[in-house]
Amino acid sequence: MHLQTTKSFRNVERRITLAFGALILLLMIIVLFAGGFYLQGVMEREENKLSTLLTQVLANSVSRISFSGKYHARLLLEELKATQPKLDYLLLAESNGQVLAHSDPLLNDTTLSSSAIAVIQTVIKNNGKHVRYFSHNNESIREVTLPYRGGFNNTIVGAIQVGLSTQSRHQAVANGIIYIAFVVAGLLLIGVLITYRISTYFGNPIKQLASDMETTLHAIPDILFELDENGRYIQVLTHNEKLLAQSKNKLLNRYVEEILPNKAAQTVLSALKEAKFKGDSHGHQICLPLSQGNAWFELSIAKKAGLKDGKNHFIVLSREISQRKLVEQEIITLNSQLEERVEQRSAELKIALEEATHANTAKSEFLSSMSHELRTPMNAILGFAQLLQLDKTLNKAQKTNTQEILNAGTHLLTLINEVLDLSKVESGHIDLSIEAVNVFSAIEECIGLVSPLAQKRGISIINHNNVDGVMVKADSTRFKQSLLNLLSNAIKYNREDGEIQITFKTVDKNQLCISIIDSGLGIPPEQLTELFKPFNRFNADKTNIEGTGIGLTLSKRLIELMGGSLEVESNVGTGSIFSITLPIEKNISPEIEAEKQQNNSEQLLQKSNNTQHKILYIEDNPANLNLVEQILAHREHIQLITSETPESGIELAKTHKPELILLDINLPGMDGYQVLKIFKADKNLQNIPVIAVTAKAMLSDIERGKAEGFIDYVTKPLDIKEFLITIDKYLSSNGDS
């Protein structure tokens, strides 16, 4: 279907052709009529000149002929009539109308009509000229009358009339017009050719433009409307009338409110109003009921410029978006379903998380409870064993037995600690304090701790120290814990009189690799992949080699949490190499750090032995009370007051006002936290430092204790040396104050 815009282009082409053709035709007609009028005027002027000149010649000729020469005059007139076909007649007449001579001899000596006599008398009287036209014998005659003179005094004696036939003039004019017509026809033909060429010159681009426009419009899937500001349809352009609410002819010059549903019409009018003030409007959507069902359209409206009438017209592009709306609806449905699934899954995950949290809490509570229940008797075992070691009255066998108790107890405590540490690592609840650690100092300290065990088996430890002053980024305690584990394994799984080498090398200039090389039996390749799994001791559990099977697992995970790695290489029969790699800390001066650590140690070990101090210990376990009493019995300057119940402990604190309070957490009736709140609420007791002494050794327990207000937190089993250092620290600071 040819669109209206395409027809407009073709109309423009036809209009150009017709305009040029009409212009040329008009020019030809003007030339034709102008030529005819001009020719006729020329003929008339020439005839006037001829008739006037002829009349004057005759008048002058006749005036020289006397009356006696009448005969000669008549002969002259007859001769002129015979030789001049244009002359219809010639005559000489007196003032009274008597014809003296006539070109027709039969009219000589006749009298003219009264009207002719009147004309002659007027000419004679005025000495002028008279011209008249009349028809005679179906011919158009032009008559000219002039006076003539005669006699000796040359006075006006009569008039001469010449009658000329205009038939030849009309024929000449007709011939001239025919000639002009041929000229005009030739010019018209030339004009047609010019018009054709002009039409071709201008028309072909217009046709091409029209064709391109038609192709473009056919390719556009949208509908184009031209509306005025009141919503009246002015133009409709589309190649698919099925998308129209009504046929195109029914839309033109009607208003959207008459055609569209009310909601859609109001949307269109609102968009037109917006475009009127802003220049354009986009994104408005309408739904129309069509023969094939409901269809959605999106409108883009722009204000049309260049209108001479000053009215507002708008070009409306209407794009059919039913498929898009369907997809959007499907997306909304899918989103809704997805949200429901997410909510359902979130609820399930929440339940699972709550269950996991509950399980984790239960696990933590179980581990805490287990730790407490194990540490409580271990406190008595290790504590009294340490006291026995201090007894100088023991014989050699008794000292050996005491040492065996300490070794077994220490091993059991190590097992408890490692199980708890592994549990914390696996749950992600372990806290690390990353700082600059002096590698040399840490290695030397660890070597010092394992040297007795190495000496028992005749194993030499060779420290290839070339890293004096080098610092690594690590948690100092966990770093030394991992080193001790590797060194202990290198001793336990080595051969008698073997050796251990500790070597160092830098990796990528910013990491330090510490390798512990033993001369043991080595590990088979098939066991290396299982080496770092917990509780996997291979065949070692069948020997007398002590171990828990979780030391390597814990060490590897701790090193990785510190940003490093733990790798192993082994050859059966020659030994194994365990390598720790950690990032190097370049911003800390090792000398300053070493000096700082030394000063801290000196301050920590200061004791105040010259002043008497009073300590209150609240503990419900008699064995633990007895242990602390015996430990502090070696300090004569310390008076220990004990209480097995929290209530009596509170009263003793109010009565004696001790300098330091040792408080267990698990107490009957009220726990240690409740007792601590009572102390903090009493203005007479709130400044007394309170140290928690408890078997609750989980990290969460320690964090809570410090958060609640305990000045320090000591875990059971007690390390007597560290316990005394802690007590001396707070007694010293309290005494200084």
Side-chain angles (χ1 to χ4, degrees), residues 205-258:
I206 291 174
K207 286 180 181 178
Q208 184 61 42
L209 180 60
S211 177
D212 292 344
M213 181 61 73
E214 183 174 353
T215 303
T216 301
L217 290 175
H218 272 290
I220 296 176
D222 306 328
I223 307 171
L224 290 175
F225 299 98
E226 182 176 347
L227 304 179
D228 65 12
E229 60 184 310
N230 297 317
R232 182 172 62 90
Y233 290 95
I234 299 171
Q235 277 198 80
V236 180
L237 302 176
T238 180
H239 67 277
N240 186 4
E241 291 200 12
K242 290 182 180 180
L243 296 179
L244 298 177
Q246 293 188 23
S247 66
K248 183 171 71 173
N249 293 333
K250 291 182 179 180
L251 291 178
L252 295 177
N253 294 318
R254 295 181 67 186
Y255 294 87
V256 293
E257 292 174 303
E258 301 177 65

Side-chain angles (χ1 to χ4, degrees), residues 18-36 180-181 183-192 194-195 198:
L18 291 174
F20 276 103
L23 179 61
I24 292 174
L25 181 60
L26 179 62
L27 290 175
M28 296 304 103
I29 292 172
I30 292 173
V31 170
L32 181 61
F33 279 98
I180 292 174
V183 173
V184 169
L187 293 176
L188 181 61
L189 180 60
I190 294 172
V192 169
I194 293 173
T195 301
I198 291 174

Side-chain angles (χ1 to χ4, degrees), residues 358-373:
H358 179 72
N360 191 47
T361 302
K363 175 184 175 182
S364 298
E365 290 175 354
F366 169 74
L367 291 174
S368 178
S369 176
M370 182 186 72
S371 172
H372 181 270
E373 295 302 322

Side-chain angles (χ1 to χ4, degrees), residues 93-95 100 120 123-124 146-150 155-160:
E94 295 179 339
S95 60
L100 297 178
I120 289 174
V123 170
I124 293 173
L146 289 173
Y148 76 90
R149 298 176 183 275
T155 58
I156 296 173
V157 295
I160 183 170

Side-chain angles (χ1 to χ4, degrees), residues 93-95 97 112 116-125 145 158-159 161:
E94 295 179 339
S95 60
L112 299 175
I117 293 172
V119 170
I120 289 174
Q121 290 177 350
T122 300
V123 170
I124 293 173
K125 181 180 180 180
T145 304
Q161 286 185 341

Side-chain angles (χ1 to χ4, degrees), residues 89-210:
Y89 64 89
L90 294 168
L91 68 85
L92 293 174
E94 295 179 339
S95 60
N96 57 3
Q98 184 72 32
V99 178
L100 297 178
H102 200 290
S103 59
D104 185 0
L106 297 177
L107 296 178
N108 288 329
D109 296 326
T110 60
T111 302
L112 299 175
S113 63
S114 57
S115 59
I117 293 172
V119 170
I120 289 174
Q121 290 177 350
T122 300
V123 170
I124 293 173
K125 181 180 180 180
N126 296 328
N127 191 22
K129 180 178 72 171
H130 180 271
V131 179
R132 73 184 180 105
Y133 293 90
F134 61 92
S135 179
H136 178 67
N137 294 330
N138 295 324
E139 287 189 13
S140 179
I141 304 298
R142 183 174 185 273
E143 182 185 79
V144 179
T145 304
L146 289 173
Y148 76 90
R149 298 176 183 275
F152 295 106
N153 53 1
N154 195 29
T155 58
I156 296 173
V157 295
I160 183 170
Q161 286 185 341
V162 177
L164 294 175
S165 174
T166 60
Q167 190 68 33
S168 59
R169 179 177 64 84
H170 289 316
Q171 186 63 40
V173 170
N175 292 337
I177 290 175
I178 291 172
Y179 174 76
I180 292 174
F182 276 110
V183 173
V184 169
L187 293 176
L188 181 61
L189 180 60
I190 294 172
V192 169
L193 293 175
I194 293 173
T195 301
Y196 173 76
R197 293 299 299 169
I198 291 174
S199 174
T200 303
Y201 181 79
F202 290 104
N204 286 343
I206 291 174
K207 286 180 181 178
Q208 184 61 42
L209 180 60

